Amino acid sequence: MASIPLPEIQVTDRVSGVEGVSVAAVNGPRSVVIAGEPDAVQGIVDGYVAGDVRARMIAVDYASHSAHVESLHEELLEVLAGIEPAAPAIPMLSTLTGEWVQAGELDAEYWFANLRNRVGFHSAVTRLLDERYRAFVEVSPHPVLTIGVQETIDDTDLTAVVTGTLRRDEDGLDRVLTSLAEAFVRGVAVDWKALFAGTGARRVDLPTYAFQHEEFWPEAALSVVGNVAAAGLAAAGHPLLGAAVGLAGAQGTLLTGRLSLRSHQWLADHVVGGVVLFPGTGFLELAIRAGDQVGCDRVDELTLTAPLVLAEDAATVVQVSISGPDDSARRTVDIYARSADAAEDEPWVQHATGVLAVGERTADWTDAATWPPADATPVEAEGGYARLAAGGLEYGPIFQGLRAVWQRGDEVFAEIALPEQAVGDADSFGLHPALLDAALHAVPFVGLDEADGVRLPFSWGGVCLHARGASTLRVRLVKTGSESVSVSAVDVTGEPVLSADSLTLRAVSTGQLAASSGSTMRDSLFRLEWTMLPEVAQGVDGESDVVELVGDLSSLEQIPALVAVTVGSTEADAGPAAVHELTGRV
């Protein structure tokens, strides 16, 4: 048996002239299974693969739903002769007849015919949709038919829920309950009372949170675009940069910008170790824009020297400094930042340094037009963002762009797409930092060495942006070292978008990031303050409200409002014991 991702009519035309092969099942509008003589089926698969169709053999040793089953007719009738069919307790739509099953229908002859004839799964799902069914749950060891169901739904203008029950290597009750919850949060009614019956479980109110707040006053994102010509500057024409100016006498150029979580709200979705971190792909985007400004089409090197933590309630000023060209037309680029409220004498922090060059490199992904890649194996990527969050990489919706992953030897392939709410911004960037950052979420599948901490971009080498404004990517990652990969990205037609000879990712502890956060709002809640004690009287004075005790505790005859006593001892427990005795008396 073999799976062919093409419409039924095309597959039927292909196998009609091949003896011993027939269509066994139609699971979706582009999901067909064929069955028959092994060599003949393998030949059809080989022909499809040669034509860039992802046909594949199915790991079974029998050709069900084909003429091969006929030899079992009498044996099956004998084995199933004891069946006494009744009316289904739950309504059942037959994928054999395409009709609702009636009482007495499911006898031995029905089950033989069910095994012998073509499976009309696609037409059955279509009928269920026509009859207003909107939730489909595949009860199986691993979802296989959910793809066909989703394809069938996608060919309509309807909205429906599709889910499985178990998954490969996840065969316990936890997986079933997780699948149930996934269906529930998508609108499927679940009888939770039946699930918890007899367990003693009861409903409770969710706890309130003292500092939780929600603003209802409409507040649009602040614009960073303005008229800078009056200040002798030129508009930078970039979402992260506001102005550009050439430096007199130095052949250098300076780009400036202002970042905040109010003007660039999407940055708040990039949380690492509990702090909002300007993404490493954002620094690369700034370097690429710097190269555009001075006619350099390659970022030869870019090293991130310090993370940039963005405060919740404060803006950050960014400067991108570009030197004049050397004899090879190469220029250095340095990226600095500091708080927008900083005093003039407060130093700038260098966050990245690199080299810009002339001469676009040629993309080397030769078979990029074939997608998914030939001979690549799908990798289970579901739950990946939950695992990343558990490790300290808490990506919000804008950065959750990883859609699918495949592997072929040392190569890892990924499909990346900007969420719908960010697609409109893609044209204003060279390459949206959230899109490229999501491409790096497939790095864990490459197999870099174990790291103590979260891996973040550290240095880029040989980067060229071949096309601007992409909102979807197909990416190839190849391991080039113990902590480095090469990156190639193309669009949906296979045309190159970005290529990088190397990207090194270094492990950073959450403690390092917290230390880099500077004076954040969280830290500003604490300060060191000395409180002076009131002046005390010397000696024991029963009329005083304050007494400094210099003798034995037994000398304290009256109880004043405050007692100051010096406690000292060479024995470890003597000091605390004296304090307890004093506390008891006072």
Side-chain angles (χ1 to χ4, degrees):
M1 302 185 75
S3 174
I4 315 295
L6 290 174
E8 176 187 3
I9 187 171
Q10 295 184 25
V11 179
T12 301
D13 290 345
R14 175 68 180 83
V15 304
S16 60
V18 181
E19 185 176 355
V21 179
S22 60
V23 173
V26 181
N27 295 328
R30 290 166 297 281
S31 181
V32 177
V33 176
I34 62 174
E37 295 293 338
D39 291 342
V41 173
Q42 183 67 64
I44 292 173
V45 169
D46 292 342
Y48 276 129
V49 171
D52 291 334
V53 176
R54 292 187 67 246
R56 62 180 180 84
M57 297 293 291
I58 300 175
V60 294
D61 55 3
Y62 53 89
S64 58
H65 308 294
S66 75
H68 284 245
V69 180
E70 291 178 358
S71 62
L72 301 176
H73 186 198
E74 297 303 323
E75 181 180 352
L76 286 174
L77 292 183
E78 180 181 350
V79 171
L80 303 177
I83 289 180
E84 297 181 4
I90 298 174
M92 174 180 169
L93 183 68
S94 172
T95 58
L96 173 64
T97 65
E99 301 294 335
W100 292 101
V101 172
Q102 303 300 318
E105 186 177 346
L106 302 180
D107 57 9
E109 192 64 52
Y110 173 90
W111 290 115
F112 166 77
N114 187 75
L115 184 62
R116 163 62 181 89
N117 297 311
R118 178 183 300 188
V119 178
F121 188 80
H122 172 49
S123 58
V125 172
T126 300
R127 176 167 179 176
L128 290 171
L129 288 170
D130 290 342
E131 297 188 12
R132 305 184 64 81
Y133 287 89
R134 295 295 183 266
F136 298 83
V137 180
E138 178 180 347
V139 183
S140 66
H142 186 79
V144 176
L145 296 173
T146 53
I147 297 174
V149 177
Q150 190 63 61
E151 286 181 354
T152 304
I153 296 169
D154 291 343
D155 276 8
T156 71
D157 58 354
L158 303 174
T159 299
V161 176
V162 185
T163 187
T165 49
L166 300 174
R167 287 188 172 277
R168 189 177 297 112
D169 300 324
E170 294 182 69
D171 56 357
L173 181 60
D174 286 350
R175 177 66 255 180
V176 174
L177 295 180
T178 299
S179 299
L180 193 65
E182 290 170 352
F184 177 71
V185 299
R186 296 176 64 186
V188 178
V190 175
D191 185 0
W192 294 111
K193 290 184 178 179
L195 174 66
F196 292 108
T199 65
R202 60 185 178 85
R203 289 182 177 272
V204 296
D205 292 332
L206 289 175
T208 57
Y209 177 46
F211 299 101
Q212 190 170 7
H213 63 278
E214 183 175 359
E215 296 178 356
F216 294 96
W217 191 257
E219 181 179 359
L222 299 180
S223 173
V224 295
V225 179
N227 181 12
V228 295
L233 307 173
H238 192 276
L240 301 177
L241 297 167
V245 62
L247 302 179
Q251 292 187 301
T253 302
L254 184 68
L255 302 172
T256 65
R258 180 185 176 98
L259 305 175
S260 80
L261 300 185
R262 295 184 65 196
S263 60
H264 302 79
Q265 296 174 353
W266 58 275
L267 288 172
D269 282 356
H270 192 261
V271 179
V272 181
V275 297
V276 178
L277 201 65
F278 187 71
T281 52
F283 288 114
L284 180 63
E285 173 70 11
L286 292 175
I288 290 173
R289 175 63 187 86
D292 292 342
Q293 184 72 23
V294 295
C296 293
D297 50 11
R298 187 173 75 249
V299 179
D300 249 9
E301 307 167 18
L302 186 69
T303 301
L304 278 57
T305 55
L308 173 55
V309 177
L310 302 176
E312 180 180 348
D313 59 346
T316 299
V317 179
V318 176
Q319 287 190 358
V320 182
S321 175
I322 312 165
S323 74
D326 63 12
D327 294 339
S328 302
R330 290 158 58 91
R331 299 170 181 258
T332 60
V333 58
D334 296 287
I335 302 175
Y336 300 88
R338 72 178 183 182
S339 171
D341 299 327
E344 282 301 317
D345 59 351
E346 184 172 330
W348 291 79
V349 177
Q350 184 187 59
H351 291 279
T353 183
V355 177
L356 307 176
V358 177
E360 181 178 349
R361 68 188 292 274
T362 303
D364 57 2
W365 187 357
T366 56
D367 62 344
T370 303
W371 194 261
D375 302 324
T377 303
V379 177
E380 182 60 69
E382 185 175 342
Y385 282 108
R387 290 190 293 271
L388 290 174
L393 298 171
E394 304 170 63
Y395 295 117
I398 299 298
F399 283 81
Q400 292 186 13
L402 182 63
R403 297 291 179 262
V405 180
W406 294 264
Q407 196 151 19
R408 182 177 65 190
D410 295 334
E411 301 170 291
V412 170
F413 302 89
E415 193 166 88
I416 314 297
L418 277 176
E420 184 177 354
Q421 61 266 41
V423 170
D425 298 330
D427 288 340
S428 58
F429 290 90
L431 184 61
H432 198 301
L435 185 66
L436 182 54
D437 193 275
L440 305 185
H441 302 170
V443 166
F445 299 100
V446 174
L448 301 184
D449 290 357
E450 291 292 329
D452 185 15
V454 296
R455 282 196 180 276
L456 298 177
F458 171 69
S459 65
W460 299 85
V463 180
C464 287
L465 182 66
H466 307 286
R468 298 176 55 86
S471 60
T472 61
L473 291 179
R474 294 171 176 175
V475 178
R476 182 183 69 166
L477 304 173
V478 181
K479 182 178 179 180
T480 58
S482 61
E483 51 185 12
S484 62
V485 297
S486 64
V487 183
S488 303
V490 300
D491 62 18
V492 294
T493 67
E495 291 299 311
V497 173
L498 178 136
S499 55
D501 291 335
S502 67
L503 164 62
T504 300
L505 300 107
R506 293 278 174 85
V508 178
S509 71
T510 54
Q512 287 176 287
L513 295 175
S516 301
S517 63
S519 180
T520 65
M521 181 176 67
R522 175 185 58 193
D523 297 329
S524 67
L525 295 175
F526 305 98
R527 64 177 179 176
L528 180 64
E529 181 177 290
W530 290 97
T531 302
M532 299 300 296
L533 285 175
E535 187 175 347
V536 300
Q538 297 297 320
V540 177
D541 182 358
E543 301 298 326
S544 173
D545 287 335
V546 181
V547 169
E548 179 182 7
L549 185 64
V550 295
D552 188 85
L553 291 173
S554 61
S555 62
L556 188 60
E557 297 178 355
Q558 294 181 325
I559 306 301
L562 176 65
V563 176
V565 59
T566 300
V567 178
S569 174
T570 57
E571 297 183 15
D573 295 333
V579 173
H580 281 295
E581 182 180 352
L582 176 61
T583 304
R585 290 182 57 81
V586 175

